[in-house]
Structures are given as structure tokens and as C-alpha cells.
């Protein structure tokens, strides 16, 4: 018997679970197997802050005891990966819903404005997110962010029925919450990630955006067969589960994590991360927009690289469903892998770029040279592959070239994205807040530009993605000219004095 129109397709849901499993397998393979297991002491307060005390000295493990495998830093980074996954699934869902014209009171001509509304809110909370993450710590700030955007996400299907303006302001509210995400991630990376694992663990956490888009493009079209509310309620329920796990298992820094501290891993990380003790760092107050950073060419190199990446990424994230629907007349619910595979390829590309970058740095290559090579490779690769996708003879080949484009494009995350922690081992959250504020502008202006290009011609997708490619390549060249790896935090009070490329 054929399934009813409102029934979920077991076949597609199975593929969704398979995609999630493949993503987890890739992560496990790239992390490797533990070289040593950190000893744990029984504790009734698993993650309670632990104040240093002469009576509780940290163990001094062998220098290589935590050099590989899975420690508390990997657990915490995996939790961040999970919420980035949910964050980007939430962001992807609106494009899937709008592509099906699921809100009758929202005219098709206003689709671009609805998509842009998110970036208005997202723009406003980048700098406050970096400030709060440095003052409060990553744990409470990230919980606040997830609660905020999930609340507005739950309201989306209900306000969408009321018309354009309620939906417009709801999307602004969701952007306000998600704007805290990446400044907080970088604040956490400052304290949890050793320098020699920086590229991989940061790109790993960020790769949740790709797997989130994969799973959303597989599962959400099936949930949409039942109705619009299940799409948003499903992901909100996952965010609730994540919040419980993160509250129990995570901390803003390893020295605040009881089991990590007692095992000795916290001390091992502290000696290798380039940032001071969290309690000391949180007492270093700066203006939300520090002029000492804005005067540095290497900071503007990051801004440029970020703008170049974001224009192409935001256009792809918002318009890929429409690309396959309009150009190849694909019913997304029937062929969800066409959309899912490019994002899965992007996740794999980011993880490989992070691992390879760490290997080159470990073998003596200058950090800034590795970052620049990653940026240029990604920009040139995504530009060429996107053009090949727009000239593909059918949807299958288009999906293949889109996969190549996102695979190579994600190499850029091992460039400018990781470079923030190279030059600011203590204040990367501030740099991220500033950079993502500027780089959100392409998200705001890119949607109406894309809408205008598509309205001018029925076959203008090469121009849509060509504009993004030009922006990415020019930005990569600026990053090559101005980028550096010298720490800008050495003159801060209490800042660690390690050079990022030592």
C-alpha cells in the first residue's frame, strides 16, 4: 500500500539517521582513539566549579597523557557541535518551509525579506555575545542563546499564519538568540582547546552547521508533510535535550570542571592553550569594541575573509532549496539527498582541512602560511565548483558539483575562522563578535540581491553564485596580504605570553 500524503516516509527518515551516523563516524575517525584514559574520581558534583586550593593540587600526568584520543575537552566540544547542528537546522528549516509556500499570507515576493529578517537580529547580538561570553563564561551565555532562539523558533509556524510582519519580527528574534552562538564558541575554544589541536577542534565544532543542514534537509521535508508546526517543534525538543546535557556535562573552562580538574587534563590544557586562568581572564575588562584590535591589519584580514565566506554560504543556505526546485523541478521531499549530500561533503571538507592544518603546523610550517593556504584553496575551489553546478545537465550532477563546492569551500574555516584564536588567544570572542557583525551584512544584503538577479531572468543562477565566488576570491586575497599569526593579547593584563606559532 502507498503511504498517505500525511505519513512520514520511513525510507527517507532512515536516510536521515544514516546521514547522522555517517557524520558521527567521520568525527570519530578524525579524532582518533584515546592514547590514555584520564583517571576519574567519584564526585557527586560532576561539573560544579572547583576553586583551586593548596589541599587539592592538580595531578601532574605524563606530558603526552592527553595528547590524543577522547578527553573532557572532546566531550565539551562535542556538545558545542551538537548545538551548532541544531542551530543550523533551525536556520535551514525556514528556507524549506518557504520553498513550499507553506504560509499563504506571506507573498512569494516577500520571501527574501523574511530570510533577511533573521540577519537583522543576528547582526545586533554578535558584539554583546562576545562581551557576555568573556564576562560570564561560555556555559551560561550559550544556554541563554539556545533558550532565546528556540523560543522564537517554536513560535514561527503560528506567527507565520498571521502574515508577513509577525513572521518578519519573529525571525529577527530568532536571529537575536543565534547571534550569541559563535562568539561564545570561540570564548570556549580559548580555554578548552590546546594550541596544537586548534584547527581541528574549532572546525569540528563549527562543522555542526553542515550536519545540521544535512539532517534538516532529510527530515524536515518529511515532517512538513504532516504540517508546519512539527518541523519547528521537533528541533525545539532536541534543543531542550541538549540543554540538559550541556548543563550537566560542560563548564566554561576546564579549571571550572570538577572531573576535568581532578583528572589532571585541566592543567595539561592550561599549559598548552595560550590563555590565562578563566577567573583571571574574566576580570580583564575592555571596551566592547577595543581600538587596539581595530588598528591591526591582521584583524581586518579576518574581517575580509569572513565577509567573503559568509556571502556565498548564506546564499547557498537560503537558496539551495529554491535552486533545485526552480531549475530542476525537484520535489524536495521525494529527493532529499540532493540537498543533504552537499552539506555532508562540507562537513567532511572542514574536518579534513582542520586535521591537515594541525599536522602542517605540528611539522614546523608557519601558522599564518597554513591559514592562508587554506583560505585561498577554499575560495578558488568553491567558486569554480559552483559554476559547474549551475551548468549541470540534471539535478544529480548539480548535487555532485554542489558537494564539491561545499567540500572545498569549508577549507576556509581552517583559515580566517581559526586564525581568530591564533592572534587573540584570550579575546577571540571579541574578535568573533566584531567579525561576525561585519560579516552578517552579506546575509542581509545578499538575499535581496539574489532575489533581484533571479527576478531579472529565468536562468540567472550562474550570476547568483558567480557574485558569491568573486566576493570570496577577493576576500581571500586580502586575507593573504594582511593576515598574520602574532598574538595581539600579549599586552593585556594577565595574558599568556605564548606565541601561537611556537
Amino acid at each position: 500500500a502507498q503511504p498517505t500524503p500525511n505519513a512520514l516516509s520511513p525510507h527517507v527518515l532512515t536516510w536521515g539517521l544514516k546521514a547522522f551516523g555517517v557524520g558521527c563516524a567521520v568525527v570519530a575517525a578524525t579524532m582518533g582513539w584515546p592514547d590514555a584514559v584520564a583517571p576519574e574520581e567519584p564526585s557527586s558534583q560532576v561539573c560544579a566549579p572547583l576553586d583551586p586550593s593548596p589541599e587539592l593540587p592538580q595531578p601532574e600526568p605524563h606530558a603526552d597523557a592527553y595528547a590524543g584520543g577522547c578527553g573532557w575537552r572532546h566531550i565539551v566540544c562535542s556538545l558545542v557541535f551538537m548545538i551548532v547542528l541544531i542551530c543550523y537546522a533551525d536556520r535551514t528549516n525556514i528556507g524549506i518551509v518557504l520553498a513550499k509556500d507553506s504560509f499563504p499570507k506571506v507573498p512569494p515576493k516577500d520571501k527574501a525579506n523574511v530570510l533577511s529578517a533573521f540577519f537583522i537580529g543576528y547582526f545586533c547580538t554578535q558584539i554583546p555575545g562576545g562581551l557576555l561570553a568573556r564576562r560570564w563564561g561560555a556555559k551560561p551565555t550559550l544556554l541563554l542563546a539556545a533558550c532565546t532562539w528556540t523560543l522564537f523558533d517554536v513560535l514561527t509556524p503560528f506567527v507565520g499564519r498571521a502574515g508577513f510582519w509577525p513572521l518578519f519580527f519573529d525571525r529577527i528574534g530568532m536571529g537575536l538568540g543565534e547571534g550569541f552562538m559563535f562568539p561564545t564558541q570561540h570564548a570556549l575554544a580559548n580555554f578548552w582547546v590546546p594550541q596544537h589541536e586548534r584547527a581541528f577542534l574549532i572546525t569540528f565544532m563549527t562543522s555542526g552547521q553542515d550536519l545540521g543542514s544535512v539532517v534538516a534537509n532529510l527530515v524536515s521535508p518529511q515532517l512538513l508533510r504532516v504540517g508546519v508546526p512539527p518541523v519547528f517543534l521537533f528541533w525545539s525538543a532536541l534543543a531542550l535535550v541538549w540543554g540538559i546535557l550541556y548543563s550537566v556535562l560542560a563548564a566554561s573552562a576546564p579549571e571550572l570542571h570538577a572531573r576535568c580538574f581532578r583528572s589532571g587534563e585541566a592543567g595539561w590544557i592550561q599549559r598548552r592553550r595560550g590563555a590565562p586562568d578563566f577567573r583571571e581572564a574574566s576580570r580583564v575588562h575592555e571596551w566592547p569594541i577595543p581600538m587596539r584590535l581595530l588598528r591591526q591589519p591582521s584583524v581586518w584580514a579576518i574581517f575580509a575573509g569572513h565577509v567573503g565566506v559568509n556571502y556565498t554560504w548564506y546564499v547557498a543556505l537560503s537558496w539551495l532549496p529554491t535552486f533545485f526546485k526552480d531549475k530542476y523541478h525537484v520535489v524536495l521531499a521525494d529527493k532529499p539527498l540532493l540537498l543533504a549530500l552537499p552539506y555532508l561533503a562540507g562537513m567532511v571538507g572542514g574536518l579534513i582541512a582542520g586535521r591537515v592544518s594541525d599536522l602542517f603546523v605540528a611539522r614546523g610550517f608557519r601558522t599564518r602560511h597554513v591559514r592562508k593556504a587554506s583560505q585561498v584553496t577554499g575560495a578558488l575551489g568553491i567558486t569554480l565548483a559552483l559554476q559547474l553546478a549551475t551548468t549541470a545537465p540534471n539535478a544529480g550532477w548539480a548535487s555532485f558539483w554542489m558537494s564539491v563546492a561545499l567540500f572545498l569551500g569549508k577549507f576556509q574555516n581552517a583559515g580566517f575562522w581559526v586564525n581568530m584564536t591564533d592572534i587573540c588567544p584570550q579575546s577571540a570572542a571579541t574578535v568573533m563578535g566584531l567579525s561576525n557583525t561585519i560579516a552578517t551584512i552579506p546575509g542581509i544584503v545578499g538575499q535581496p540581491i539574489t532575489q533581484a538577479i533571479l527576478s531579472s531572468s529565468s536562468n540567472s543562477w550562474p550570476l547568483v553564485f558567480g557574485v558569491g565566488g568573486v566576493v570570496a576570491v577577493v576576500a581571500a586575497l586580502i586575507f593573504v596580504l594582511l593576515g598574520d599569526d602574532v598574538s595581539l593579547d600579549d599586552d593585556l593584563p594577565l595574558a599568556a605570553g605564548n606565541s601561537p606559532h611556537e
Side-chain angles (χ1 to χ4, degrees):
Q2 295 296 322
T4 62
N6 289 334
L8 292 179
S9 169
H11 176 71
V12 177
L13 289 178
T14 299
W15 273 108
L17 294 174
K18 287 182 178 179
F20 183 79
V22 169
C24 294
V26 170
V27 169
T30 49
M31 276 190 176
W33 191 257
D35 291 339
V37 178
E40 294 183 357
E41 296 181 10
S43 173
S44 59
Q45 295 180 334
V46 175
C47 297
L50 184 63
D51 293 326
S53 167
E55 290 76 29
L56 287 175
Q58 282 214 55
E60 292 292 335
H62 186 272
D64 297 325
Y66 305 106
C70 185
W72 277 106
R73 67 191 184 280
H74 298 105
I75 294 172
V76 172
C77 289
S78 296
L79 288 168
V80 177
F81 166 85
M82 289 171 60
I83 195 57
V84 174
L85 184 157
I86 295 170
C87 172
Y88 267 77
D90 289 340
R91 198 183 300 192
T92 302
N93 287 333
I94 191 66
I96 295 171
V97 171
L98 289 177
K100 196 178 178 183
D101 299 324
S102 300
F103 296 129
K105 293 186 178 180
V106 178
K109 65 182 179 63
D110 288 329
K111 179 194 299 185
N113 292 326
V114 171
L115 295 173
S116 293
F118 169 89
F119 296 104
I120 296 174
Y122 194 71
F123 177 89
C124 293
T125 50
Q126 296 295 323
I127 294 174
L131 180 64
L132 290 179
R134 290 183 68 183
R135 296 278 182 88
W136 293 358
K139 181 175 180 177
T141 306
L142 193 51
L143 286 170
L144 173 64
C147 289
T148 302
W149 89 61
T150 300
L151 172 63
F152 285 102
D153 196 44
V154 169
L155 295 175
T156 299
F158 307 104
V159 299
R161 294 175 183 173
F164 167 74
W165 284 110
L167 181 60
F168 182 84
F169 286 111
D170 179 78
R171 297 301 296 176
I172 291 177
M174 185 172 172
L176 289 172
E178 291 203 8
F180 288 98
M181 177 72 244
F182 287 120
T184 304
Q185 173 190 294
H186 272 52
L188 184 141
N190 275 156
F191 295 101
W192 276 98
V193 178
Q195 291 175 323
H196 66 282
E197 298 177 352
R198 188 171 282 164
F200 174 70
L201 285 179
I202 293 176
T203 55
F204 161 60
M205 289 187 284
T206 308
S207 70
Q209 62 186 205
D210 303 297
L211 189 57
S213 300
V214 169
V215 180
N217 279 302
L218 287 172
V219 174
S220 294
Q222 306 307 314
L223 295 171
L224 192 57
R225 291 176 182 264
V226 179
V228 176
V231 175
F232 298 94
L233 293 174
F234 172 78
W235 292 101
S236 298
L238 291 184
L240 175 62
V241 174
W242 171 86
I244 296 172
L245 292 174
Y246 187 73
S247 298
V248 173
L249 297 175
S252 296
E255 56 266 34
L256 304 180
H257 192 293
R259 287 193 176 184
C260 185
F261 183 91
R262 292 172 179 170
S263 71
E265 185 183 357
W268 182 88
I269 294 172
Q270 285 180 281
R271 291 188 291 273
R272 290 163 175 81
R273 70 188 182 191
D277 185 273
F278 174 83
R279 301 168 186 84
E280 298 175 347
S282 63
R283 294 197 295 268
V284 178
H285 293 170
E286 286 191 291
W287 289 102
I289 305 178
M291 292 306 299
R292 70 176 181 90
L293 296 178
L294 295 182
R295 288 192 291 264
Q296 300 298 325
S298 58
V299 173
W300 286 97
I302 288 172
F303 294 169
H306 204 163
V307 167
V309 169
N310 271 17
Y311 186 96
T312 308
W313 170 247
Y314 285 148
V315 168
L317 186 70
S318 299
W319 292 91
L320 270 187
T322 303
F323 169 73
F324 281 105
K325 177 176 177 285
D326 290 355
K327 186 173 178 65
Y328 298 105
H329 310 290
V330 171
V331 178
L332 299 178
D334 294 338
K335 296 183 178 180
L337 288 179
L338 292 177
L339 278 176
L341 289 177
Y343 293 113
L344 186 59
M347 175 186 173
V348 175
L351 292 174
I352 290 176
R355 180 62 87 186
V356 171
S357 294
D358 283 341
L359 289 175
F360 275 117
V361 172
R363 295 191 178 190
F365 287 84
R366 182 72 183 257
T367 300
R368 69 184 181 192
H369 297 156
V370 176
R371 304 289 185 248
K372 292 176 181 181
S374 299
Q375 191 79 23
V376 172
T377 300
L380 293 175
I382 193 172
T383 300
L384 176 61
L386 282 175
Q387 291 304 305
L388 293 172
T390 61
T391 59
N394 54 56
W397 275 105
S399 180
F400 170 78
W401 287 116
M402 282 291 179
S403 299
V404 174
L406 293 191
F407 177 89
L408 294 174
K410 284 298 176 177
F411 276 55
Q412 295 170 101
N413 280 359
F416 80 97
W417 193 260
V418 179
N419 190 231
M420 297 181 197
T421 58
D422 293 330
I423 66 173
C424 291
Q426 183 173 340
S427 55
T430 299
V431 176
M432 171 57 78
L434 294 169
S435 184
N436 224 10
T437 298
I438 296 172
T440 299
I441 296 174
I444 298 173
V445 303
Q447 311 304 327
I449 289 174
T450 300
Q451 182 79 70
I453 293 173
L454 293 175
S455 299
S456 65
S457 172
S458 59
N459 187 27
S460 48
W461 287 105
L463 181 57
V464 167
F465 293 120
V467 170
V470 170
V471 173
V473 171
V474 171
L477 293 177
I478 295 173
F479 183 80
V480 168
L481 291 173
L482 302 180
D484 207 341
D485 57 2
V486 177
S487 174
L488 304 178
D489 285 348
D490 287 345
D491 294 332
L492 278 177
L494 308 175
N498 295 336
S499 174
H501 54 272
E502 288 181 352

